[in-house]
């Protein structure tokens, strides 16, 4: 059976050129970048080339890019260090955040008594900037705002520029989890005054276990992994040279082809949306995922019947999607994001499905997904036809 992969927001397949670049490093560049001899210096040069490439695209200085093992580590480091070293006593966040942000914020509350304030989304997963401004006005405490750029489940986009400017106005620090948008959207940090951001290579055809944190130089952030001078002491430990080179290659390909890839993927997403509308006219789309205010790689569908096993059933048909949910024994429970935006009835009687695309996704993949979805939804379709003919 030929399989179809529609879970690109979870991770993406490695690009062949990325694999080649990584294999070459594994074979030929085993020097430790901290060593002063030529083997070490060759490895160091490779790291610095990647750092420069990333900094150039984000319009920042290379010293503001800190290589880490992933998006989770970057987000942890930023939030924990803001509390440990920058005097943050209050965090404003939302229930839409990825667990690596949500749980880190909760830990800061538990361990350090940090005040946690949640900005509640509306039923389309939008956050009110007016409410954010009120929260920013109403406290003397040193505040960190941590809000993601694009939601990994429903794709909603936050207006980074506006939020960053609000945070500047009220002297709050601003961190954005940009894991779903880095290398997918053009981010100009010379214009957007965000203090911290995060990136993960495996979201754009790079390797797992390689990412970076953007740390604005003036912020004075310190590392939480100590014991070495690597990454200007912001992240001790011998660098993952092969992973960073893989990140660099994936970054270069994504940045160079951004407009071609994005318009191709938008077309695929629109095709998928119209096929869903044609075949499941009662289906809805969660959050802003079917509108322009959404990341072009994600479509979150709300099917008009309840089937918590649908992910498993589609997998058995060779189609990989995500239900945007925590799974136990194959049956999905709605995630925090969906629980924050869906009403009781929708949670009980409907089934959310997240399909996410890459430039490797084809219309034939979408056709296979739709026919598999019709197959696993046969009972619902038959029942609906019977009701209509009664
Ligand atoms: N933040 C968001 C929005 C994500 O989608 C993910 C991954 O799913 C992460 C953070 C974590 O990234 P990583 O898998 O690199 O730890």
């Amino acid at each position: 059976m030929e399989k179809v992969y529609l879970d690109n927001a979870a991770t993406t397949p490695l690009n062949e050129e990325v694999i080649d670049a990584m294999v070459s490093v594994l074979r030929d560049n085993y020097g430790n970048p901290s060593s002063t001899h030529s083997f070490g210096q060759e490895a160091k040069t490779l790291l610095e080339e990647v750092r420069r490439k990333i900094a150039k695209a984000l319009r920042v200085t290379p010293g503001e890019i800190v290589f880490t093992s992933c998006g989770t580590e970057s987000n942890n480091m930023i939030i924990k260090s803001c509390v440990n070293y920058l005097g943050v006593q209050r965090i404003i966040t939302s229930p839409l955040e990825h667990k690596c942000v949500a749980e880190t914020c909760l830990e800061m509350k538990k361990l350090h008594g940090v005040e946690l304030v949640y900005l509640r989304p509306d039923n389309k997963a939008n956050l009110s900037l007016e409410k954010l401004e009120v929260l920013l006005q109403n406290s003397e405490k040193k505040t960190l705002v941590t809000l993601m750029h694009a939601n990994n489940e429903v794709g909603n986009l936050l207006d980074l520029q506006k939020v960053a400017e609000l945070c500047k106005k009220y002297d709050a620090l601003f961190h954005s989890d940009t894991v779903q948008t880095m290398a997918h959207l053009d981010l100009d940090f010379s214009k957007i005054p965000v203090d911290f951001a995060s990136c993960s290579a495996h979201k754009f055809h790079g390797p797992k276990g390689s990412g970076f944190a953007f740390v604005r130089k003036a912020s004075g952030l310190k590392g939480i992994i100590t014991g070495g001078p690597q990454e200007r002491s912001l992240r001790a430990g011998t660098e993952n040279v092969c992973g960073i080179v893989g990140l660099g290659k994936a970054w270069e390909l994504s940045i160079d082809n951004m407009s071609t890839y994005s318009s191709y993927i938008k077309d695929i997403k629109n095709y998928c949306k119209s096929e869903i509308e044609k075949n499941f006219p009662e289906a809805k789309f969660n959050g802003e995922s079917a509108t322009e205010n959404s990341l072009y790689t994600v479509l979150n569908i709300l099917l008009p019947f309840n089937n918590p096993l649908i992910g498993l059933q589609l997998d058995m048909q060779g189609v990989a999607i995500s239900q945007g949910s925590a799974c136990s024994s194959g049956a999905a429970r709605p995630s925090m994001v969906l629980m924050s935006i869906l009403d009781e009835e929708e949670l009980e009687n409907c089934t959310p499905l997240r399909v996410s695309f890459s430039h490797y996704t084809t219309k034939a993949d979408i056709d296979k997904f739709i026919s598999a979805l019709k197959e696993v939804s046969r009972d619902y379709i038959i029942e609906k036809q019977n009701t209509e003919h009664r």
Side-chain angles (χ1 to χ4, degrees), residues 9-10 70-73 75 98 100 148 150 152 177 179-180 200 202-203:
C70 59
T72 299
E73 184 192 324
N75 289 334
H98 188 272
C100 66
M148 69 207 312
N152 49 304
D177 174 350
V179 163
Q180 290 290 341
S200 181
H202 73 97
K203 304 293 183 182

Side-chain angles (χ1 to χ4, degrees), residues 9-11 68-75 96-101 148-153 177-181 198-203 207-211 354:
T11 196
T68 63
S69 68
C70 59
T72 299
E73 184 192 324
S74 304
N75 289 334
L96 305 174
E97 299 301 309
H98 188 272
K99 266 192 170 185
C100 66
V101 166
M148 69 207 312
H149 188 197
N151 184 268
N152 49 304
E153 290 186 43
D177 174 350
T178 47
V179 163
Q180 290 290 341
T181 49
S198 47
C199 174
S200 181
H202 73 97
K203 304 293 183 182
K208 291 162 190 63
S210 180
R354 179 188 72 181

Side-chain angles (χ1 to χ4, degrees), residues 58 60 63-66 71 73-88 90-91 97 101 142-149 158 160 163-164 167-168 171-179 181-182 187 189 192-199 212-223 234:
L58 295 177
V60 298
E64 293 175 306
I65 304 301
V66 182
E73 184 192 324
S74 304
N75 289 334
N76 263 261
M77 164 194 159
I78 292 162
I79 296 167
K80 288 179 179 169
S81 183
C82 278
V83 174
N84 287 350
Y85 299 111
L86 302 186
V88 163
R90 185 172 77 133
I91 299 177
E97 299 301 309
V101 166
K142 181 77 191 165
T143 298
L144 168 71
V145 173
T146 173
L147 295 173
M148 69 207 312
H149 188 197
L158 183 79
L160 271 195
V163 174
C167 290
K168 280 283 144 297
D171 201 24
L173 292 164
F174 178 38
H175 160 237
S176 186
D177 174 350
T178 47
V179 163
T181 49
M182 281 269 188
L187 296 176
F189 288 169
I192 305 168
V194 60
D195 295 293
F196 314 107
S198 47
C199 174
F212 68 83
F214 162 70
V215 176
R216 182 87 61 190
K217 201 170 172 192
S219 67
L221 202 82
K222 290 189 183 169
L234 272 161

